[in-house]
Amino acid sequence: MLEDQDYPKSIQFEVQTGQFRPLLDHTVRRLQDMAGMFADQVAVKRELERGGRVIYEFDSHPFKTSHSDMVLGVTRINPGKVGDEFFMTKGHIHERDDQPEIYHCVQGEGYLLLQTMGGEFQAERWTPGTISHIPPMWAHRVVNTGDRLLIFLAVFHLSAGHDYRPIEEKGFRKRVIERNGQVIFIPDNRWT
Ligand code: M6P
Ligand code: ZN
């Protein structure tokens, strides 16, 4: 006998707003939630005194069954910078070492940064329609380098788990900043 949760289900995704219906789980990340992740701490302090902006929001919709649980996520990163560094997600690596993920850029432009624990680094350029496979054991962060909202979908297994510590401690090898109107990558000095 199948249980209720084991029947196929569909939800609705609205491309323009980047929102699901029904919405089960919503998280807002403001500058104060990730203040240590930006290089320019003078700019961080100045921003926080003014209240701190919302950097990004994400919604997740777990499809739970009695056997295996997938999650659909959508993240909306605001356009903006802290100092000269573009708004980005905190970034994480999966707790389980056998768990990949797929990201799909729906709107906006930027980069997906990927990194192994051994320090291998890769950046994928994103435009609307880019779909990236994140293999197991690669940490991942998305940076919005455009002037509009960057919206991306994520598909992963609920059991993957989120480990934020390695990124909180050492960041990614490269930061994405604006210099003279250009988007450039500069090394994070914790890696040199
Ligand atoms: C995507 C998925 C989620 C993740 C979210 C925000 O929707 O990868 O699992 O939580 O982005 O990213 P982070 O957890 O790095 O803040
Ligand atoms: Zn992930």
Side-chain angles (χ1 to χ4, degrees), residues 29 56 58 73 75 89-92 101 103 152 154 156 162 164:
R29 291 230 213 272
Y56 63 103
F58 60 98
T75 304
T89 59
K90 279 185 79 167
H92 62 271
E101 183 163 0
Y103 274 1
F152 70 94
F156 57 102
H162 294 68
Y164 292 97

Side-chain angles (χ1 to χ4, degrees), residues 27 29 34 56-60 71-76 88-94 101-103 134 140-142 152-156 161-162 164:
T27 305
R29 291 230 213 272
M34 50 188 296
Y56 63 103
E57 299 181 45
F58 60 98
D59 306 329
S60 46
V71 182
L72 182 63
V74 63
T75 304
R76 298 175 293 274
M88 59 193 178
T89 59
K90 279 185 79 167
H92 62 271
I93 190 161
H94 293 157
E101 183 163 0
I102 290 184
Y103 274 1
I134 300 160
H140 34 290
R141 158 179 285 167
V142 177
F152 70 94
L153 290 169
V155 184
F156 57 102
H162 294 68
Y164 292 97

Side-chain angles (χ1 to χ4, degrees), residues 50-82:
R50 289 197 220 124
R53 285 177 285 171
V54 171
I55 310 286
Y56 63 103
E57 299 181 45
F58 60 98
D59 306 329
S60 46
H61 191 104
F63 291 93
K64 292 193 181 167
T65 74
S66 51
H67 286 82
S68 185
D69 310 322
M70 291 288 286
V71 182
L72 182 63
V74 63
T75 304
R76 298 175 293 274
I77 312 177
N78 283 322
K81 285 175 290 184
V82 179

Side-chain angles (χ1 to χ4, degrees), residues 18-191:
Q19 278 166 356
F20 296 138
R21 247 168 312 148
L23 173 59
L24 294 187
D25 192 14
H26 176 66
T27 305
V28 179
R29 291 230 213 272
R30 297 189 164 78
L31 181 58
Q32 40 270 54
D33 302 316
M34 50 188 296
M37 295 193 145
F38 290 95
D40 186 344
Q41 287 297 307
V42 176
V44 167
K45 193 160 174 279
R46 201 169 46 226
E47 284 267 350
L48 289 180
E49 280 163 6
R50 289 197 220 124
R53 285 177 285 171
V54 171
I55 310 286
Y56 63 103
E57 299 181 45
F58 60 98
D59 306 329
S60 46
H61 191 104
F63 291 93
K64 292 193 181 167
T65 74
S66 51
H67 286 82
S68 185
D69 310 322
M70 291 288 286
V71 182
L72 182 63
V74 63
T75 304
R76 298 175 293 274
I77 312 177
N78 283 322
K81 285 175 290 184
V82 179
D84 56 10
E85 190 170 5
F86 290 103
F87 280 9
M88 59 193 178
T89 59
K90 279 185 79 167
H92 62 271
I93 190 161
H94 293 157
E95 281 163 1
R96 279 179 56 159
D97 63 7
D98 60 351
Q99 288 300 315
E101 183 163 0
I102 290 184
Y103 274 1
H104 170 192
C105 177
V106 175
Q107 175 191 296
E109 59 180 294
Y111 287 89
L112 167 64
L113 310 185
L114 299 133
Q115 182 168 289
T116 65
M117 293 297 263
E120 272 206 65
F121 176 87
Q122 195 168 314
E124 298 290 305
R125 169 94 180 107
W126 270 17
T127 55
T130 310
I131 299 173
S132 303
H133 175 243
I134 300 160
M137 297 191 285
W138 284 79
H140 34 290
R141 158 179 285 167
V142 177
V143 185
N144 182 357
T145 59
D147 51 16
R148 63 192 295 215
L149 201 63
L150 188 158
I151 301 172
F152 70 94
L153 290 169
V155 184
F156 57 102
H157 201 270
L158 183 62
S159 68
H162 294 68
D163 184 1
Y164 292 97
R165 247 172 324 145
I167 304 304
E168 280 165 353
E169 280 163 15
K170 249 188 134 193
F172 282 76
R173 291 192 84 109
K174 302 226 169 111
R175 294 183 179 276
V176 189
I177 67 160
E178 185 176 67
R179 189 172 289 164
N180 304 324
Q182 307 280 349
V183 177
I184 62 163
F185 286 70
I186 57 163
D188 185 312
N189 51 26
R190 288 172 291 183
W191 284 89

